[in-house]
Amino acid sequence: MNGSKNLNLKVPESLFYEFHRLKGALKAETNQDCLKKLLIIADIRLKGLTKQEKDKFLLKISVENHNVEDF
């Protein structure tokens, strides 16, 4: 992989386990595959929204409990 970079992220233990739970749910073989799939999902989800809807949606995402409220 040319020009590859290492994210080397330090995350809280709960986020670590949540990532690996999603990795299993997404049937991703590697952390990199999981991250790619999550980015694709985010891109698809945000593409259909207007700027106002996107801003409202992003503000409602709760980073603390990993839930997205209905909007």
Side-chain angles (χ1 to χ4, degrees):
M1 194 183 283
N2 289 342
S4 64
K5 302 289 183 194
N6 184 355
L7 291 176
N8 197 23
L9 302 172
K10 295 247 184 226
V11 297
E13 188 174 353
S14 61
L15 186 56
F16 175 85
Y17 290 117
E18 183 67 12
F19 179 84
H20 286 282
R21 184 189 69 76
L22 285 170
K23 181 179 169 184
L26 294 171
K27 297 179 179 18
E29 291 184 21
T30 66
N31 290 351
Q32 184 175 350
D33 289 340
C34 182
L35 183 57
K36 284 180 185 177
K37 288 182 177 190
L38 289 171
L39 290 171
I40 291 167
I41 291 166
D43 188 49
I44 290 168
R45 178 63 176 101
L46 294 174
K47 270 187 181 166
L49 302 177
T50 65
K51 180 173 178 2
Q52 187 177 32
E53 290 170 331
K54 189 184 302 183
D55 290 345
K56 186 176 180 180
F57 176 73
L58 293 173
L59 285 172
K60 288 196 172 221
I61 294 175
S62 172
V63 176
E64 291 300 315
N65 62 16
H66 312 292
N67 289 328
V68 180
E69 300 173 18
D70 293 332
F71 67 101

